[in-house]
RNA sequence: CGGGGCGUGGCGCAGCUUGGUAGCGCGCUUGCUUUGGGAGCAAGAGGCCGGCGGUUCGAAUCCGCCCGCCCCGACCA
């Protein structure tokens, strides 16, 4: 295509509202524009990238025998009521009524509909297995859309669902998805990890996420050289105990000394020898969650034990513990207590539940009763639970996830089949998502440089940026037209930059847009019958004879 | 939802403290020149200063309410 026929309004300056690199660059490169918080318009170049990513996804999904379908975004509330998610999910789901007053939802995911379909159409074990997928819009009323297209309220997702006779068969479908996903990300040219993840609101037992490392990511994963990889929401590490003092409960006066840092320095005791006591309000009443002073509570872990919860406010602390915040502790506190496993067998300092006092020499589950559970957040350099090596933490963008759902949706929606013995069984399901926009953003995040985007070959809007320096020069224009025609004939997607703009702007735009190869045709080309070729990613430059340039460029592209 | 910041030509910003009717850079239009790294000169177009209300002779500027956007947190198939 010709640049003069493509709408790509490039910007010299970063948009004021953008923070993430991918956000700035995608706006500057004229790929997207924001309509409102979390709502984006994709311009032609943005659409081309998305189409390429989706094409790769289709190929790889089809390769594992998945079949594409398309489901409505607007859905009746009934099916969501049947699975319980009408109640479970809060403000994040868009809800509306149709003209007849019926409750409707705008789908944030499609388990309900696809299971409804399966429940109506699958009758026999002979109908299984099935993998159905769609590439479809999802809507979520996100509390906080952010980082450009990374977290939006409306977005495209590839979602697939597997239907199997049992858990062994599900395992097979799950593995096939892992293979397909790995190939998809590889072909899209992004680095990624597969990590253990928290099934969360999807329900089900096992889940993994595909994570692309990037500073713009909202998630964090713990990684080990042995292959252990987990979202910090559930990552575990082996506790390392400091040397403990002698046990024996002694109250000490600690006037106006409240925080871990203050207590630590006031008593000259390392933070790892303090108990951080956090009063939590859960639906079954208050809970005292305890972690070591040098550690932090991982809310998602506590959530699995006590469900929805929030920290108590100062007033609730005074009422329940009878003390000002800062002096709360486990001793004589009549609430459910959950201590992190690293507190087991140690001797600690904790609040005394008396203003201005702490207690020393406390032994958990001896001086006070408590449950033990892993509720702390993993820190970098702690030991891997599998091999003892030091863990590292990394910021990541979630670009895909896979869940073993089991019968969470098939049971309430009655998706059953008759087995070989004529006995009715419940279909066992899996659910698998990929966010194409996040792949695009991750690619920009991981590969861009100070000049602009550096697209991976397979998802670049165009493969070649053919920069015609002086379109008004007939000889140059003719040379460019010829090469353009040859490249297009060879199947090399080329943007002929025939804009009548200054060379500096043209080159700067080429760098900003980030197509893999830039080919320059100028007066030198006309003079000596050559073109200059620049590889965006490496900066390598070549000079090709005009006559053979199309073939040479094609070869170069294939080598990237 | 809690905390913070910001809304002024298309984009990026200044002006606001100390009220007097809006300015800079980029972009855009026209002409001439220029032409291998974000060109030069000249002449132009373009803004009810987010909205509503209040104070005042007079409000971009002061006060109140509302809306929108961004960031941190909470939340997040």
């Amino acid at each position: 295509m010709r640049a003069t026929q493509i709408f790509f309004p490039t910007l010299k300056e970063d948009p004021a509202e953008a923070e993430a690199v991918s956000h700035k660059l995608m706006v500057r490169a004229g790929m997207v524009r924001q309509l409102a918080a979390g709502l984006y318009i994709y311009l032609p170049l943005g659409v081309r990238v998305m189409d390429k990513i989706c094409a790769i996804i289709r190929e790889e999904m089809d390769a594992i025998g998945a079949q594409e379908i398309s489901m409505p975004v607007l859905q009746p509330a009934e099916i969501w009521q049947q699975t319980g998610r009408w109640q479970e999910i809060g403000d994040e789901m868009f809800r509306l009524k149709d003209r007849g007053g019926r409750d409707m939802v705008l789908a944030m995911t499609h388990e309900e509909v696809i299971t409804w379909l399966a429940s109506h159409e699958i009758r026999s074990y002979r109908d299984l297995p099935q993998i159905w997928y769609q590439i479809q819009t999802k809507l979520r009323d996100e509390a906080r859309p952010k980082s450009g297209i990374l977290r939006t309220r409306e977005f495209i997702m590839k979602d697939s669902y597997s239907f199997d006779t049992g858990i062994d068969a599900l395992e097979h479908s799950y593995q096939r998805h892992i293979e397909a996903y790995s190939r998809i990300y590889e072909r899209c040219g992004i680095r990624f990890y597969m990590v253990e993840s928290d099934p969360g609101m999807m329900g089900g037992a096992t889940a993994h996420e595909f994570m692309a490392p990037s500073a713009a990511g909202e998630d964090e994963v713990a990684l080990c050289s042995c292959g252990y990889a987990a979202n910090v929401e559930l990552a575990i590490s082996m506790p390392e105990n400091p040397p403990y003092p002698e046990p024996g409960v002694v109250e000490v006066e600690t006037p106006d000394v409240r925080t871990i840092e203050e207590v630590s320095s006031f008593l000259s005791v390392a933070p790892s020898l303090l108990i951080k006591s956090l009063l939590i309000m859960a639906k079954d009443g208050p809970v005292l969650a305890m972690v070591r002073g040098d550690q932090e509570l991982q809310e998602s872990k506590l959530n699995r034990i006590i469900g929805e919860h929030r920290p108590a406010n100062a007033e609730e602390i005074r009422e329940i513990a009878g003390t000002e915040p800062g002096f709360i502790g486990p001793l004589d506190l009549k609430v459910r207590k959950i201590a992190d496993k690293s507190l087991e067998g140690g001797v600690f300092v904790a609040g005394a539940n008396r203003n201005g006092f702490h207690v020393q020499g406390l032994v958990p589950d001896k001086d006070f009763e408590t449950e033990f559970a892993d509720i702390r957040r993993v820190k970098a350099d702690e030991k891997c639970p599998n091999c003892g090596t030091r863990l590292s933490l990394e910021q990541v963008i979630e670009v895909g996830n896979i869940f073993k759902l089991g019968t969470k949706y098939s049971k309430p929606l009655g998706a059953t089949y008759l087995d070989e013995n004529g006995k009715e069984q419940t279909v066992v399901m899996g659910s698998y998502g990929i966010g194409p926009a996040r792949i695009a953003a991750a690619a920009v995040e991981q590969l861009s440089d100070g000049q602009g985007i550096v697209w991976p070959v397979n998802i670049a809007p165009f493969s070649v940026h053919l920069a015609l320096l002086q379109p008004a020069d007939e000889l140059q224009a003719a040379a460019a037209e010829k090469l353009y025609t040859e490249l297009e004939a060879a199947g090399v997607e080329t943007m002929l930059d025939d804009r009548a703009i200054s060379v500096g702007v043209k080159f700067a735009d080429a760098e900003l847009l980030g197509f893999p190869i830039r080919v320059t045709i100028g007066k030198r080309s006309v003079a000596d019958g050559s073109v200059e070729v620049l590889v965006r990613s490496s900066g390598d430059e070549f000079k090709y004879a005009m006559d053979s340039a199309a073939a040479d460029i094609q070869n170069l592209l294939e080598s990237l």
Side-chain angles (χ1 to χ4, degrees):
Chain A
M1 291 184 75
R2 289 158 207 278
T4 48
Q5 289 167 12
I6 305 173
F7 183 61
F8 61 107
T10 56
L11 264 32
K12 202 180 285 189
E13 290 170 293
D14 285 337
E17 72 277 2
E19 194 87 357
V21 171
S22 55
H23 188 190
K24 290 177 182 171
L25 287 176
M26 291 176 83
V27 172
R28 284 187 51 206
M31 298 178 63
V32 296
R33 286 294 185 265
Q34 182 177 27
L35 172 66
L39 297 173
Y40 280 83
I41 297 163
Y42 282 75
L43 302 179
L45 294 184
V47 168
R48 289 184 74 95
V49 171
M50 290 293 279
D51 284 350
K52 296 221 166 166
I53 293 169
C54 290
I56 289 169
I57 291 172
R58 280 198 174 88
E59 285 178 24
E60 296 299 342
M61 292 309 296
D62 292 348
I64 62 168
Q67 306 151 72
E68 185 166 4
I69 64 170
S70 177
M71 292 177 274
V73 175
L74 180 64
Q75 305 177 359
E78 285 88 70
I79 51 177
W80 290 82
Q81 287 158 350
Q82 282 175 50
T83 61
R85 291 211 282 183
W86 175 258
Q87 276 79 25
E88 273 174 38
I89 299 172
D91 293 338
E92 205 184 339
M93 184 154 65
F94 284 107
R95 300 160 202 252
L96 68 159
K97 288 185 193 292
D98 67 12
R99 62 166 69 194
R102 285 173 287 267
D103 285 317
M104 308 291 285
V105 316
L106 295 177
M108 46 199 301
T109 174
H110 281 75
E111 278 78 14
E112 276 76 4
V113 175
I114 205 142
T115 311
W116 178 94
L117 177 66
S119 75
H120 283 254
E121 305 303 333
I122 287 177
R123 301 181 180 87
S124 158
Y125 70 94
R126 294 174 198 273
D127 297 329
L128 299 175
Q130 294 287 343
I131 299 175
W132 298 336
Y133 76 97
Q134 64 173 355
I135 298 179
Q136 176 63 285
T137 297
K138 302 275 185 281
L139 290 129
R140 295 182 190 173
D141 198 356
E142 291 284 354
R144 181 141 97 84
K146 56 183 285 201
S147 306
I149 61 169
L150 276 177
R151 187 170 206 79
T152 53
R153 293 192 292 176
E154 176 178 319
F155 58 100
I156 301 283
M157 173 181 276
K158 185 290 299 178
D159 47 323
S160 54
Y161 306 88
S162 63
F163 302 90
D164 284 294
T165 53
I167 51 167
D168 291 345
L170 168 60
E171 181 61 32
H172 182 256
S173 296
Y174 198 77
Q175 288 303 324
R176 295 306 306 260
H177 273 90
I178 291 175
E179 293 161 16
Y181 276 35
S182 300
R183 282 193 293 265
I184 288 165
Y185 300 124
E186 278 163 22
R187 289 181 62 186
C188 288
I190 61 171
R191 289 186 295 121
F192 70 98
Y193 307 115
M194 185 176 96
V195 307
E196 294 174 27
S197 74
D198 188 340
M201 97 172 183
M202 292 300 294
T206 307
H208 288 86
E209 288 163 331
F210 290 82
M211 302 295 216
S214 159
E218 302 179 84
D219 288 288
E220 206 169 0
V221 295
L223 302 166
C224 178
S225 53
C226 77
Y228 178 74
N231 192 310
V232 291
E233 287 174 358
L234 47 61
I236 52 177
S237 60
M238 298 207 290
E240 290 178 79
N241 297 330
Y244 294 118
E246 288 299 304
V249 177
V250 180
E251 199 167 72
V252 288
E253 197 166 351
T254 50
D256 246 4
V257 176
R258 297 158 196 276
T259 66
I260 292 293
E261 292 71 35
E262 287 166 2
V263 176
S264 171
S265 67
F266 184 82
L267 296 176
S268 298
V269 171
S272 59
L273 293 171
L274 307 182
I275 294 177
K276 191 185 284 184
S277 304
L278 303 155
L279 191 62
I280 304 290
M281 306 303 283
K283 56 181 184 302
D284 297 331
V287 174
L288 190 73
M290 290 168 278
V291 296
R292 244 167 41 188
D294 61 330
Q295 294 173 161
E296 279 175 46
L297 177 67
Q298 179 61 45
E299 307 245 3
S300 56
K301 290 180 176 177
L302 188 62
N303 199 60
R304 290 179 141 195
I305 303 170
I306 64 170
E308 292 288 300
H309 62 271
R310 62 169 176 84
N313 59 39
E315 197 155 317
E316 288 164 334
I317 290 173
R318 280 191 284 270
E319 193 175 312
I320 293 162
T323 175
E324 289 296 313
F327 304 104
I328 190 167
L331 210 55
D332 301 322
L333 195 65
K334 300 283 185 288
V335 301
R336 182 178 178 187
K337 300 186 193 77
I338 301 172
D340 182 71
K341 280 184 172 162
S342 59
L343 295 176
E344 204 163 7
V347 182
F348 298 96
V349 174
N353 292 322
R354 185 180 161 201
N355 288 342
F357 288 88
H358 279 73
V359 284
Q360 291 180 317
L362 264 187
V363 178
D365 211 31
K366 178 166 161 287
D367 296 318
F368 60 91
E369 279 186 30
T370 184
E371 303 163 45
F372 289 103
D374 186 297
I375 57 170
R376 72 182 184 280
R377 181 185 171 87
V378 167
K379 293 195 296 183
D381 293 328
E382 290 179 340
K383 286 185 175 174
C384 169
N386 289 349
C387 71
T389 309
R390 302 288 170 180
L391 292 170
S392 62
L393 295 187
E394 203 163 348
Q395 290 285 120
V396 292
I397 296 167
E398 181 187 351
V399 289
N401 52 32
I402 56 178
F403 297 90
K404 289 182 187 172
L405 296 176
T407 58
K408 174 168 162 114
Y409 299 93
S410 49
K411 197 169 270 177
L413 288 165
T416 60
Y417 67 96
L418 292 182
D419 67 13
E420 295 92 322
N421 304 313
K423 203 173 153 224
E424 188 171 81
Q425 304 281 0
T426 301
V427 172
V428 175
M429 292 174 57
S431 142
Y432 316 85
I434 288 185
R438 287 186 171 183
I439 292 179
V444 176
E445 290 283 337
Q446 290 182 352
L447 296 166
S448 64
D449 61 23
Q451 312 305 312
I453 298 173
V454 181
W455 285 113
V457 176
N458 292 332
I459 65 173
F462 288 91
S463 300
V464 171
H465 191 130
L466 179 53
L468 167 57
L469 298 189
Q470 278 128 39
D473 180 318
E474 282 176 28
L475 290 175
Q476 287 181 41
E481 286 289 342
K482 177 168 170 289
L483 180 54
Y484 171 62
T485 307
E486 288 170 357
L487 285 169
E488 286 285 299
V492 177
E493 293 183 323
T494 303
M495 184 176 89
L496 173 59
D497 197 343
D498 54 349
R499 295 176 296 167
I501 54 175
S502 75
V503 188
V505 173
K506 193 164 283 196
F507 284 162
D509 269 358
E511 276 131 25
L512 175 61
L513 298 179
F515 306 163
I517 292 176
R518 185 185 88 196
V519 178
T520 305
I521 290 187
K523 63 170 185 278
R524 287 183 212 152
S525 312
V526 174
D528 67 0
S530 71
V531 297
E532 287 144 66
V533 174
L534 175 68
V535 177
R536 178 68 178 88
S537 55
S538 62
D540 291 345
E541 290 183 89
F542 305 94
K543 198 160 189 176
Y544 292 155
M546 194 89 81
D547 293 337
S548 60
D552 291 338
I553 289 163
Q554 201 174 358
N555 289 336
L556 177 62
L557 200 55
E558 276 159 20
S559 74
L560 296 179

